[in-house]
Amino acid sequence: MTRRLLTLIGTLGVIMPLLAGNPAWAVNPDEMLSNPVLEKRARDISQELRCLVCQNQSIDDSDAELARDLRVLVRERLIAGDTNAEAIDYIVARYGDYVLLNPPLKPETYILWASPAVLAILALLAVFAFYRRKQREAAATTTSLSRDEQARLDEILGTSKDDGRA
Amino acid sequence: MLAEFGHFALLLIVVTGFGQAVLCSPLWLRSSIRSSLLGPATVLAGGSPGPFSDGPGNMSVRLPTQDLPRQTSPYLILPLGILVLAIIAEAGLLHAFIVSDFSLPIVADVSHSSTPLLFRIGAAFTPDGGAMVLWLLAVSLVNVVLAIQLFTPEKSSYAQDDDGSLYHNALSVLGLLIAVLGLATLIDADPFLRMAVAPLDGRGMNPQNQDVLRVLREPFLYLGLAGLAVIYALTISGLLDKKFDRRIAETMRFWTIMSWVSLGTAIAINAYRSYSQQAWGNWWYWDTAENSLLLPWLLTTALVHCRAVLEKTETLKGWTAFLGLSALAVGWFGVYLTRSDLFGPLTETLMKSGDSMTLLIGFCVVFAGSYYLFWQRSDNLGEPRPFEPISRESSMFLNSVILALIAAVVLIGTIYPLVLRWLGGENITVGGPFYVEVLVPMTVPLLLLMGFAPTLRWRQDEVWLIGRRMKLAAILSLIIFLFVSIRFIDLSPAPLIGIGLAGWILTASLSDLWARLWRQPDHGESKYRNLQLLGPRYLSMTLAHIGLAVMLAGGAASSIWEEQIVVSARAGQSIQAGPYNLQYEGVSLLAGENYATRQAKFILYRHALPVTELYPEIRYYPIRGVETREAGIWHGRDGDLHVSVGDRADDGGRVVSVRFLPMMTWVWAGMILMLTGGAISIVTRIFLRFQKNGVSAS
């Protein structure tokens, strides 16, 4: 059972990262390539490409006519001997960066790609500053115990030590 | 004719909303104009046991003129009046849809005489104008509830600070919001306009929306947004009075949880519909409509935690106030995003009347003012009580910061392509892969924190104490993680980490529950004391956390071990997927109420024993000329079996896609657990409130 599962995973091996949920097969059997290696590559590429008429669906998920055309096109390019990158470039050259679900890094998207890191750093700094201020305020407001109070406290703590925390 | 009543009611809502904004405002109540007109505001004697009679010590400090009237009529009549008007408006609209009055363009655009009754009602919620009316109805409803809260002050430990000003301010702000929303409805997308010549029939409902669950999504969404409007109003109220304190936090409690549950339900419905309707589909696509649901929910989740800290320790004032304002801001902006033409092809709303400009302008004005007020008052939002970096307060603070960070990233990802296009740049897409790459590193610390945060002590805690408490959970979850990752070493790390984290949250929550249940009772305590000490708050929190862990585990596991088969099947053929075996029986042509359907029949066997029959469909809606697909889904013990059918294949068979998603049931169960946790909190809250009031009245 386990071996079957493993071989299944090995051959299909389609793992979408956690948050993306599950990839689905919109692929029709007649589109599929007989060569499993090529087919696997085609699936990988398809999940990176957007169905142009849908909302953020990959062409792998979509059953729209246009998505089907693109899937067939990807497979044609792979059969023609393209690498994955060449096949994607081929599609991008015709449809623009819009087809890429993961936006490419270029001057227009610098802000997009930098924003999470920048925001995270800003948040870290803000949290740090918050604790610094907190500490200063605490230092300013807390008055230390008087001698008698300290003695009384020690006494209480000393006697209740054997009680332990309930 | 009813539609005209509705139209007039809508107009009156705007006027009454402004009226409430002015008449409930403490500025007006204390003003000299009012005094000269009506005499000084007086508190009627012998009413509900308000906080005025609480402590004699208080009365001496407070000037009598500061006491705002709690029982004079306008403060309940106005909200009630608005609610009645909103009901009339909604009824007028629904009536037009029910009787298929196609002289209203809104009805002609999204309905048809052949649409079944339930979906004609559902269709009334989806177009811009209909959605706005529903939103107005929801805000009017919460407005009345808030007014009732004003007249039945709670016997709480903080109530002595209350002179009614909090509620008066909040009602005033809500009145203003209602007026702005009403105005936006009338100007942007007036649903009650008529055409001179009515078409013979409508263009039909979007078939994607023809589903019982989908119809319920809209009321939940707008109820959630209305709850956020109350939170917003209370926040503004506190800022205006320079008293953003635990009293406000206490009042907010019901509203944060209510919004959280409502928005969560809308998200869950959305996810389940994607899963079952888009037959080859995922359950989350990160598209504009989904993100605009997710954003307010993320901030509400942050708020649920911060609010608790504010109520308990009176710290995090500024941050809670900021979240209180921002939750409505992103919710409102999301509503604008989903209906704006600016932002590309949107299938959700089919009727486009203008560009919702008033909604956008209203948004800008309202929130520019709000954040300015926040900035002005930031000096009053100091932190009198200290806490250490390792403490319960701190954990909740960090949790909400990370949630807000996630929300900010999602917001940027959602609007970036739109802004770029608006600036004249080229079209780009920000899709799932981007969000996954960027958000996974942020969620990992969040989920790690989630495991041990509920065990932390307030004010100050020690690392070694945490270590001692979390020892068992840490070891157990590490074993789970190592076991899974060694066994499935060749898998990509993200789902494995997901399973590890789910195990961590689950074991940590359960071990904390265990420790609390088996705590050595103090001398003289009954042995049920531990159970009492847990309380509904703790239980609902634990349930929600466990729910998230269950969902996470299910999502990760199903993405790893999913089995997918696409075949061209002929009648009688059987298809193996996981422990299940599906026998294809063929397709029959059937007529639905307003669609034709090709319904396939499958008999599902589990280990050769028949379990059930599944009927995936391809529906054709002739009015719109659109095909939709309905998957056949079986929620089994070990996972979901998801089968859908496609077109005829070239070789004459039928394209059948079968997926076995192990533990997918956990995803749905986890969502239900989370929402149940929230619902428990709401129900006990309402129950306790009535109980308290009953006790105090007797």
Side-chain angles (χ1 to χ4, degrees):
Chain A
M1 181 64 199
T2 321
R3 278 192 55 181
R4 226 194 71 220
L5 207 63
L6 274 174
T7 41
L8 194 89
I9 291 158
T11 47
L12 297 180
V14 191
I15 299 108
M16 281 280 279
L18 184 65
L19 286 170
N22 313 289
W25 279 26
V27 188
N28 285 5
D30 48 341
E31 295 169 15
M32 281 192 248
L33 303 175
S34 48
N35 181 341
V37 181
L38 277 190
E39 177 61 25
K40 161 96 172 65
R41 280 174 53 201
R43 297 283 323 271
D44 286 347
I45 294 171
S46 299
Q47 283 169 18
E48 293 287 323
L49 296 178
R50 175 198 180 130
C51 158
L52 296 157
V53 292
C54 320
Q55 289 207 20
N56 273 18
Q57 281 185 2
S58 75
I59 58 170
D60 200 54
D61 293 334
S62 169
D63 45 355
E65 200 61 32
L66 191 60
R68 183 196 153 94
D69 294 346
L70 277 180
R71 285 196 299 267
V72 172
L73 190 59
V74 167
R75 284 167 175 78
E76 280 171 12
R77 294 314 305 168
L78 289 184
I79 290 172
D82 277 9
T83 63
N84 286 13
E86 281 167 354
I88 290 177
D89 285 345
Y90 182 86
I91 307 270
V92 170
R94 275 149 193 80
Y95 294 91
D97 286 339
Y98 189 62
V99 292
L100 295 172
L101 276 172
N102 212 3
L105 190 64
K106 54 181 185 171
E108 282 102 327
T109 58
Y110 282 165
I111 299 175
L112 176 69
W113 279 105
S115 62
V118 171
L119 283 173
I121 290 167
L122 282 181
L124 269 180
L125 288 178
V127 167
F128 190 67
F130 177 81
Y131 283 125
R132 281 286 295 277
R133 209 184 76 188
K134 200 96 204 156
Q135 246 168 7
R136 264 207 310 277
E137 276 175 9
T141 52
T142 321
T143 47
S144 52
L145 297 173
S146 74
R147 246 188 133 84
D148 289 350
E149 285 168 336
Q150 187 62 51
R152 175 83 184 114
L153 184 65
D154 287 344
E155 189 190 317
I156 294 168
L157 288 177
T159 53
S160 64
K161 202 167 263 171
D162 46 7
D163 263 7
R165 184 178 158 258
Chain B
M1 197 47 206
L2 269 179
E4 272 63 43
F5 278 120
H7 205 175
F8 190 56
L10 191 55
L11 207 69
L12 280 182
I13 287 176
V14 178
V15 178
T16 328
F18 274 121
Q20 182 182 324
V22 174
L23 291 179
C24 287
S25 158
L27 285 177
W28 156 256
L29 290 172
R30 286 177 186 144
S31 74
S32 49
I33 313 168
R34 186 184 182 281
S35 308
S36 60
L37 284 176
L38 302 171
T42 48
V43 184
L44 294 185
S48 72
F52 307 106
S53 51
D54 268 6
N58 266 326
M59 299 304 283
S60 55
V61 226
R62 185 165 293 140
L63 293 171
T65 48
Q66 273 188 316
D67 288 338
L68 297 169
R70 271 180 179 275
Q71 295 216 324
T72 17
S73 40
Y75 315 109
L76 195 54
I77 284 181
L78 280 176
L80 275 177
I82 294 176
L83 180 62
V84 170
L85 289 171
I87 290 173
I88 292 174
E90 185 67 61
L93 190 65
L94 286 182
H95 177 260
F97 271 91
I98 290 169
V99 302
S100 291
D101 182 352
F102 297 118
S103 65
L104 270 75
I106 191 176
V107 183
D109 268 359
V110 297
S111 189
H112 186 270
S113 52
S114 69
T115 309
L117 177 67
L118 175 67
F119 301 115
R120 291 209 296 279
I121 293 173
F125 302 149
T126 44
D128 294 2
M132 289 302 288
V133 172
L134 187 65
W135 194 4
L136 269 174
L137 180 65
V139 180
S140 310
L141 188 70
V142 298
N143 189 30
V144 170
V145 177
L146 193 70
I148 292 174
Q149 269 190 318
L150 165 65
F151 295 111
T152 54
E154 214 166 345
K155 300 289 273 179
S156 81
S157 41
Y158 321 124
Q160 68 263 23
D161 303 335
D162 170 42
D163 60 355
S165 164
L166 166 67
Y167 286 109
H168 282 96
N169 271 326
L171 281 176
S172 178
V173 172
L174 264 188
L176 198 65
L177 277 183
I178 288 172
V180 170
L181 291 180
L183 213 56
T185 314
L186 282 171
I187 298 174
D188 284 338
D190 191 341
F192 296 110
L193 290 179
R194 289 224 190 242
M195 280 184 277
V197 182
L200 288 176
D201 216 328
R203 290 178 48 217
M205 182 189 196
N206 179 0
Q208 298 274 339
N209 296 345
Q210 188 166 328
D211 174 76
V212 181
L213 269 180
R214 180 62 182 71
V215 167
L216 284 175
R217 194 194 85 165
E218 246 58 28
F220 277 112
L221 165 62
Y222 288 105
L223 193 64
L225 290 181
L228 294 184
V230 175
I231 293 164
Y232 167 85
L234 288 169
T235 309
I236 292 286
S237 171
L239 292 175
L240 281 173
D241 269 3
K242 303 185 184 174
K243 270 199 306 190
F244 193 82
D245 54 9
R246 52 175 55 176
R247 169 88 186 110
I248 293 201
E250 196 192 31
T251 319
M252 266 188 193
R253 173 149 186 264
F254 170 78
W255 298 106
T256 46
I257 309 266
M258 194 278 280
S259 300
W260 187 81
V261 171
S262 299
L263 291 170
T265 309
I267 291 177
I269 288 175
N270 204 63
Y272 192 75
R273 277 314 287 161
S274 289
Y275 176 72
S276 65
Q277 189 170 33
Q278 303 183 349
W280 311 98
N282 254 317
W283 46 285
W284 199 257
Y285 289 102
W286 300 98
D287 72 20
T288 318
E290 286 168 338
N291 287 352
S292 58
L293 275 175
L294 185 65
L295 281 169
W297 183 82
L298 284 171
L299 290 191
T300 313
T301 314
L303 198 59
V304 164
H305 295 92
C306 279
R307 191 216 56 83
V309 175
L310 178 61
E311 185 186 352
K312 192 94 173 177
T313 68
E314 202 136 54
T315 47
L316 300 182
K317 284 183 180 179
W319 179 236
T320 311
F322 179 77
L323 287 175
L325 298 181
S326 306
L328 182 67
V330 292
W332 188 330
F333 189 64
V335 170
Y336 170 71
L337 272 187
T338 48
R339 70 180 47 157
S340 159
D341 270 336
L342 269 181
F343 299 143
L346 292 173
T347 51
E348 284 295 313
T349 52
L350 292 150
M351 190 174 136
K352 294 270 177 277
S353 15
D355 223 350
S356 300
M357 261 341 258
T358 322
L359 195 66
L360 183 63
I361 293 167
F363 167 82
C364 292
V365 172
V366 165
F367 287 100
S370 311
Y371 285 112
Y372 179 71
L373 178 71
F374 174 72
W375 180 63
Q376 283 286 304
R377 291 287 194 266
S378 51
D379 291 344
N380 297 100
L381 300 169
E383 306 278 334
R385 281 152 221 255
F387 60 77
E388 292 293 310
I390 299 172
S391 63
R392 178 82 74 88
E393 290 96 320
S394 190
S395 72
M396 303 252 224
F397 172 58
L398 290 177
N399 142 62
S400 60
V401 169
I402 299 176
L403 281 168
L405 190 63
I406 291 174
V409 170
V410 173
L411 181 66
I412 289 176
T414 312
I415 60 172
Y416 197 86
L418 316 172
V419 172
L420 193 64
R421 181 154 40 135
W422 183 63
L423 289 174
E426 70 177 305
N427 279 346
I428 62 160
T429 301
V430 180
F434 171 82
Y435 291 106
V436 173
E437 269 178 42
V438 169
L439 292 184
V440 166
M442 294 183 186
T443 31
V444 170
L446 182 72
L447 297 172
L448 279 176
L449 192 64
M450 199 173 147
F452 67 85
T455 71
L456 286 177
R457 295 192 187 150
W458 293 96
R459 197 64 206 278
Q460 190 177 4
D461 209 334
E462 301 291 336
V463 176
W464 66 272
L465 277 174
I466 303 171
R468 207 171 64 178
R469 279 190 300 252
M470 305 313 298
K471 204 167 45 193
L472 187 67
I475 292 171
L476 276 178
S477 56
L478 209 62
I479 290 174
I480 295 174
F481 176 66
L482 287 177
F483 176 76
V484 177
S485 42
I486 290 170
R487 180 125 189 214
F488 305 104
I489 192 96
D490 48 347
L491 296 183
S492 80
L496 297 179
I497 294 171
I499 290 179
L501 286 169
W504 162 242
I505 297 169
L506 207 61
T507 48
S509 298
L510 290 176
S511 75
D512 186 45
L513 187 67
W514 186 260
R516 281 172 199 248
L517 275 178
W518 296 102
R519 183 189 68 110
Q520 202 66 42
D522 289 342
H523 293 296
E525 281 181 348
S526 92
K527 50 185 173 177
Y528 300 109
R529 181 77 187 132
N530 283 345
L531 215 55
Q532 285 173 359
L533 275 179
L534 288 182
R537 285 191 190 205
Y538 179 78
L539 286 180
S540 66
M541 181 269 291
T542 308
L543 210 55
H545 283 192
I546 289 178
L548 185 82
V550 167
M551 186 184 144
L552 189 64
S558 67
S559 79
I560 299 177
W561 291 295
E562 177 175 7
E563 289 182 35
Q564 308 164 312
I565 300 113
V566 182
V567 288
S568 153
R570 290 163 192 284
Q573 188 171 335
S574 97
I575 305 153
Q576 180 79 31
Y580 291 100
N581 203 330
L582 268 176
Q583 191 175 331
Y584 176 53
E585 296 281 299
V587 166
S588 44
L589 262 175
L590 297 169
E593 207 162 341
N594 62 340
Y595 57 87
T597 176
R598 275 169 284 165
Q599 191 182 60
K601 181 180 175 186
F602 290 89
I603 303 174
L604 183 66
Y605 296 92
R606 194 191 135 86
H607 300 313
L609 292 170
V611 182
T612 186
E613 288 172 4
L614 293 174
Y615 298 95
E617 297 178 44
I618 306 173
R619 293 181 181 173
Y620 178 69
Y621 291 82
I623 310 298
R624 289 236 174 195
V626 172
E627 264 188 6
T628 67
R629 302 187 185 195
E630 294 288 333
I633 300 169
W634 170 251
H635 301 291
R637 253 173 311 163
D638 37 14
D640 279 7
L641 190 102
H642 184 289
V643 56
S644 56
V645 285
D647 298 324
R648 198 164 278 283
D650 291 344
D651 63 355
R654 173 72 59 181
V655 177
V656 174
S657 150
V658 182
R659 296 195 286 154
F660 174 61
L661 301 127
M663 286 170 71
M664 191 64 192
T665 327
W666 288 39
V667 172
W668 312 119
M671 286 184 187
I672 291 170
L673 274 180
M674 285 168 85
L675 297 173
T676 313
I680 286 178
S681 186
I682 297 177
V683 170
T684 50
R685 177 81 180 159
I686 295 173
F687 179 71
L688 285 177
R689 189 182 168 95
F690 280 111
Q691 205 183 31
K692 267 185 198 164
N693 283 339
V695 167
S696 65
S698 62

